[in-house]
Every structure is written in C-alpha cells, then in structure tokens.
Amino acid sequence: MAQPHGDLLDRQTALIETNVTWLQQARAIVEKISDEAFTSSPRDFAPHRVGSHLRHILEFYECFLNGVESSHIDYDARKRDESVERSRTAAGERILAIIQRLQNTPALRGDASVFVRMEDTEAGKFQDPFLYSSVSRELQTLSSHTIHHFALIAITLRLHGWQVDPDFGVAPSTLRFQASRAEAA
C-alpha cells in the first residue's frame, strides 16, 4: 500500500530525530564521565571501553553519511580512529559533526534506495557484494545498533561505579513493554 508523501517525510524526520536524540545522549554521557571511565576497561571486562564503543557507533554513522549520497554504504569501511576513543573532546566534536550532517544532508530528505555492502564479505567472493536497502531502513538500523552499544556502555560505566539512567541502552520497544506491564499490574 502506497503511503502519502507527507507521511513518508514525517517518518523520515522521526528517524533522523531519534538518531539525533541518541547522539545527544552520548554527548551528555561523554561530558559527564571522567577520562578514566571513558578510556579504560573495568576490571575483568576487557576489552570493553566506553570510548571504543562510542567510536564504533560514530563510525557507523559516518559510513552511512559518507555513502548515502553515492547510494553505496559500506559499514566495513570504518576508519577506526583511535583518537575518538581516547579523547572525550574528540568524541564530543565528532558527535556534534554527525548531528549536523544528519540534520542537514539533503539525501536524507526522502526514502531513496541505497545499496549496502554485505558485512565481512571476502574479497572477490561476490561480483557485487551490495544488498538493496533504503535510507529509512538504514536510519532504523543505526538506531538499533546505537541502542545495542549503549547497553554495553551502560554496563561498562556501572562497572566503573558511575550512575547511569536505568533507561539508557534499553530499546524503546522494551521500555514501552515494561511500562504496559507496570500499568497492567
């Protein structure tokens, strides 16, 4: 069933806003915690570090944004910039840059078709290792991916002794389910 054009734009805007919200939450965490909590692994929890999870998240957004205009996204093409995982300042700056790109990239204002490189594809195994997707689907994937890593960041911070909002790193659908169960009880 075809959706009205306005509904498509509303959904696209909502997906962008959701991702911006996650990035703003990440920035708030980065500003709140210590360098030690950002760069080190809690005891017996190596290699998990807030900085490395955040770098991973941010590089997925960058791969998406770098590929969306050419319609070919390759999440394996991450730069793995260790400065982002070692410096809260660098991470905060990168977060702001990604938020600005999400809000201002014209290619995100419609649900264009895109091709996404298959994850971890051996060189030469497929003549064309790209799968068909859409901008909206990839924005939804980025949201889910971010929440998944936020859960790991929350655990890492708790093991470092930091207080973390109990909703941080919990999927919105899980929060709605928990709220409906609480209302029913």
Side-chain angles (χ1 to χ4, degrees):
M1 170 189 258
Q3 296 292 324
H5 184 68
D7 186 47
L8 172 64
L9 292 177
D10 290 346
R11 286 182 285 151
Q12 195 82 8
T13 299
L15 286 166
I16 291 168
E17 288 174 1
T18 296
N19 281 282
V20 166
T21 296
W22 302 149
L23 291 168
Q24 289 169 335
Q25 286 180 5
R27 188 161 184 257
I29 292 272
V30 167
E31 290 175 352
K32 173 181 155 183
I33 65 174
S34 67
D35 290 338
E36 166 86 13
F38 186 75
T39 61
S40 67
S41 298
R43 182 182 153 118
D44 298 327
F45 203 57
H48 296 279
R49 295 180 315 278
V50 171
S52 59
H53 282 292
L54 185 58
R55 178 207 37 86
H56 178 80
I57 291 167
L58 298 179
E59 288 183 348
F60 262 67
Y61 280 102
E62 289 171 335
C63 288
F64 166 73
L65 289 163
N66 292 342
V68 75
E69 290 192 25
S70 69
S71 300
H72 283 75
I73 299 166
D74 183 353
Y75 294 114
D76 283 348
R78 298 184 309 279
K79 293 183 171 111
R80 293 168 173 83
D81 181 358
E82 292 181 4
S83 71
V84 173
E85 63 184 84
R86 292 191 175 130
S87 166
R88 292 184 308 127
T89 301
E93 290 169 357
R94 192 72 61 91
I95 291 167
L96 286 177
I98 292 168
I99 289 172
Q100 289 176 342
R101 288 179 72 190
L102 284 170
Q103 293 172 329
N104 298 313
T105 299
L108 301 182
R109 303 297 176 254
D111 197 17
S113 296
V114 293
F115 296 92
V116 179
R117 182 172 173 68
M118 293 171 61
E119 195 171 3
D120 199 29
T121 304
E122 294 176 31
K125 185 172 184 177
F126 297 103
Q127 183 177 349
D128 183 10
F130 286 86
L131 303 171
Y132 185 78
S133 188
S134 70
V135 169
S136 292
R137 180 68 200 123
E138 294 310 305
L139 283 166
Q140 181 62 50
T141 298
L142 287 167
S143 177
S144 296
H145 178 257
T146 299
I147 290 296
H148 163 76
H149 281 278
F150 276 8
L152 295 168
I153 288 171
I155 291 167
T156 303
L157 287 172
R158 288 182 184 114
L159 290 171
H160 272 303
W162 286 86
Q163 291 262 343
V164 180
D165 184 310
D167 293 345
F168 182 78
V170 180
S173 61
T174 301
L175 293 172
R176 286 190 301 275
F177 175 74
Q178 291 170 344
S180 69
R181 285 185 66 184
E183 285 177 22

